[in-house]
Amino acid sequence: MRPRISIASFLPASLIGILAIACSAKTPAKVNVDKDISVAVYSTTEREGVIDTVSPCLLEETVHISELLRYPDYDGITMPFTLSDTARYAEITGDNLEKRIAIIVNGQMLSTPVVKMKIENGACSVMLDEAQTKALFPHINIEELNSTSR
């Protein structure tokens, strides 16, 4: 079963997250984590406001998550990571300029960004809500992270 996500529910949160990060000059709160997770990148289709993945998977690997970030004045938690197959990720982002891709984390579609530039260093991140953060990192004290970011 391929993951699906409604654009109506995801797009506003994504735009707010992007603007919060881009416009914030404040230092984010950080919490160290030490976890490997599965990440996959897919092409997408959109029909009637629903975004769906297109097989086959473009890139799949296990990445190491070393920290989570909470930017001031934003409710989401950023999970940054680096894909090790930088050449393949650069090819994917270069081939999908102005198109939406899907970022799947541990089998769940968490992000469907529109690619704005070719990314040659493997850098990627997804925004997590508190429920997603608790599911992926049950040992993290989110309340502590919240109090240090305000």
Side-chain angles (χ1 to χ4, degrees):
M1 185 164 99
R2 295 187 327 220
R4 298 171 65 118
I5 190 168
S6 168
I7 193 167
S9 64
F10 178 76
L11 192 55
S14 296
L15 292 174
I16 291 169
I18 291 168
L19 290 173
I21 292 169
C23 298
S24 176
K26 299 177 184 174
T27 303
K30 297 179 185 180
V31 61
N32 292 326
V33 295
D34 183 23
K35 186 169 184 176
D36 292 334
I37 61 169
S38 172
V39 173
V41 180
Y42 284 85
S43 295
T44 64
T45 61
E46 182 181 344
R47 189 174 64 210
E48 298 177 11
V50 175
I51 298 172
D52 200 3
T53 58
V54 176
S55 291
C57 178
L58 300 174
L59 175 64
E60 185 171 14
E61 62 182 61
T62 299
V63 299
H64 185 75
I65 307 300
S66 60
E67 67 183 4
L68 299 176
L69 307 172
R70 167 79 81 176
Y71 286 87
D73 305 321
Y74 181 69
D75 291 332
I77 297 170
T78 302
M79 181 179 72
F81 55 90
T82 303
L83 295 157
S84 62
D85 191 346
T86 57
R88 180 68 182 129
Y89 190 56
E91 180 182 353
I92 291 167
T93 55
D95 290 347
N96 286 284
L97 292 173
E98 299 304 322
K99 297 177 189 171
R100 195 173 292 282
I101 60 172
I103 309 294
I104 311 295
V105 175
N106 287 353
Q108 182 181 4
M109 187 182 323
L110 294 185
S111 183
T112 57
V114 174
V115 178
K116 294 295 184 182
M117 59 187 266
K118 182 177 182 175
I119 302 171
E120 295 182 351
N121 65 359
C124 190
S125 67
V126 294
M127 302 300 289
L128 306 172
D129 61 28
E130 288 190 13
Q132 293 166 329
T133 303
K134 287 178 183 177
L136 287 168
F137 306 95
H139 64 286
I140 297 300
N141 183 341
I142 294 177
E143 289 72 27
E144 183 178 316
L145 184 59
N146 289 343
S147 66
T148 60
S149 70
R150 306 266 181 231

